[in-house]
Amino acid sequence: MSALFEPYALREVTIPNRVWMPPMCQYSAAPEGPDTGAPNDWHFAHYGARAAGGTGLIVVEATGVSPEGRISPWDLGIWNDTQVEAFRRITRFLVSQGTVPAIQLAHAGRKASTDRPWKGGAPVGPDSYGWQPVAPSAIPFADGHPVPAELTVDGIQEIVGQFADAARRALAAGFEIAEIHGAHGYLINEFLSPHSNHRTDEYGGSYENRTRFALQVVDAVRAVWPQDKPLFFRISATDWLEQDGWTADDTVRFAADLKAHGIDLLDVSTGGNASGVHIPVGPGYQVPFAARVKAETSLPVAAVGLIIEAEQAEKIVANDEADAVLLGRELLRNPSWARHAARELGGDVHVPDQYHRSV
């Protein structure tokens, strides 16, 4: 049997195959009003199509644990019960198709309050639904970005609590897996990296201090997330900086800490915390970082980064470079990628009865 289409079990959850969908923001929620941050018909159709296409696990896009935690005013959130009820419609459908529903809990930190990418993605102010971002240190992400407010220790602890509250709501919304967003230059990643964290208190300086916030978030979420359900962590394995940044060595070290604190799988990406860096983008360019974590630690990993072809994905799993692959752009292009790959590789995948003529 194709390695890509073998089931994968974590705790008491079994994912039907290793073809997973990573979080990809749709920037399509209402920016104000009673439905602010709630998923709508677009999100239902978007995620539903990938579930009907055979995707084993779908991680819903970065979802703000607070209004200020969104990347843009048009992002999803999970800080109120209206949002929970709207998510239930999506999780019910995903489960009906045999897909495991997951959600990425996020706080955008200094990269918050920006416009939609197709509108340029520049920072927006109060006249366009925006707000002042917060960060570990008062250092803007890039030229043209506002100086964020440096978080107090009380402010840090408030956000830790918001992650826990968001996890409780995610459970009520029907999600089977939660993922903590610690990548791409957003708040947790900002604390991890000395490039963005210049604090001199217990949350800055040494490796132990810079990882403190992340581990407090993990502990708070794990405390409310059921023991029979997996908890993921997404990480940027490197800042792609030659010095004074988060490195692959740090990631390997941190993977052991995350496992000790109850993380079940590391979702390995890179970059996003430093502007203007050169990233050697190409097919599978981030897979070696996942493979290193898998080789040097006991923590399961998922790989991402221009994984496009079925044979390419099969080799990553079969060669034990990762336990699963996450396809981003390719699943945007082809919601039924999993079904097509199963046909090519001789694997089995769920096909809705209504689509029996396509088999």
Side-chain angles (χ1 to χ4, degrees):
M1 181 178 180
S2 162
L4 195 60
F5 289 94
E6 291 180 359
Y8 189 63
L10 287 167
R11 296 193 185 238
E12 299 300 316
V13 174
T14 298
I15 304 165
N17 59 56
R18 317 298 181 94
V19 180
W20 299 355
M21 181 176 175
M24 289 179 286
C25 290
Q26 297 297 291
Y27 307 99
S28 297
E32 64 175 352
D35 294 325
T36 299
N40 52 41
D41 287 349
W42 172 263
H43 301 93
F44 180 83
H46 171 64
Y47 293 114
R50 278 79 195 164
T55 307
L57 170 76
I58 290 177
V59 188
V60 168
E61 63 204 78
T63 302
V65 299
S66 68
E68 299 78 20
R70 294 170 295 168
I71 300 167
S72 86
W74 295 269
D75 280 355
L76 295 180
I78 192 159
W79 64 80
N80 65 42
D81 293 340
T82 297
Q83 296 157 347
V84 169
E85 188 58 37
F87 274 120
R88 284 197 186 110
R89 180 187 179 208
I90 294 173
T91 58
R92 280 196 300 265
F93 185 78
L94 267 55
V95 169
S96 78
Q97 299 305 304
T99 297
V100 174
I103 186 171
Q104 186 182 71
L105 306 177
H107 193 297
R110 67 178 183 172
K111 294 177 73 175
S113 191
T114 58
D115 207 343
R116 293 155 290 185
W118 54 86
K119 295 288 187 179
V124 295
D127 57 339
S128 298
Y129 313 113
W131 58 92
Q132 183 184 23
V134 297
S137 301
I139 305 169
F141 170 65
D143 291 343
H145 282 245
V147 176
E150 183 171 312
L151 282 163
T152 64
V153 171
D154 286 344
I156 291 170
Q157 289 307 303
E158 180 180 3
I159 293 172
V160 171
Q162 289 169 346
F163 270 94
D165 290 342
R168 291 189 190 94
R169 289 192 170 94
L171 183 65
F175 288 100
E176 291 290 318
I177 296 174
E179 176 174 275
I180 296 169
H181 197 354
H184 301 159
Y186 300 121
L187 187 62
I188 292 175
N189 190 184
E190 292 164 19
F191 272 91
L192 293 175
S193 174
H195 173 74
S196 46
N197 184 347
H198 294 186
R199 300 177 73 97
T200 57
D201 63 1
E202 66 266 38
Y203 289 97
S206 68
Y207 166 88
E208 289 79 10
N209 284 356
R210 286 184 285 108
T211 59
R212 190 182 308 277
F213 172 59
L215 293 176
Q216 287 180 343
V217 169
V218 170
D219 288 345
V221 172
R222 186 76 266 182
V224 302
W225 195 247
Q227 288 300 305
D228 62 345
K229 297 185 187 299
L231 181 60
F232 292 1
F233 190 97
R234 191 167 218 198
I235 197 164
S236 283
T238 176
D239 284 339
W240 296 105
L241 291 168
E242 294 183 2
Q243 57 184 4
D244 298 326
W246 182 263
T247 69
D249 289 342
D250 292 326
T251 295
V252 171
R253 180 181 180 183
F254 192 46
D257 295 337
L258 290 170
K259 183 175 176 63
H261 284 257
I263 291 295
D264 299 292
L265 180 139
L266 193 63
D267 176 358
V268 184
S269 187
T270 66
N273 193 42
S275 63
V277 297
H278 172 68
I279 300 177
V281 176
Y285 70 105
Q286 296 175 138
V287 174
F289 295 96
R292 182 179 171 190
V293 172
K294 186 165 176 60
E296 297 183 24
T297 77
S298 59
L299 188 63
V301 299
V304 64
L306 289 186
I307 300 170
I308 297 170
E309 304 295 338
E311 190 62 34
Q312 175 195 17
E314 174 75 11
K315 287 180 179 178
I316 291 168
V317 177
N319 292 344
D320 213 26
E321 295 176 273
D323 298 284
V325 293
L326 295 125
L327 285 80
R329 292 174 177 85
E330 198 59 23
L331 274 173
L332 293 182
R333 299 182 189 104
N334 181 2
S336 297
W337 189 95
R339 193 184 313 152
H340 297 163
R343 185 180 300 143
E344 179 178 336
L345 299 171
D348 292 324
V349 70
H350 169 76
V351 179
D353 292 338
Q354 295 90 335
Y355 291 171
H356 72 279
R357 284 165 291 192
S358 68
V359 177

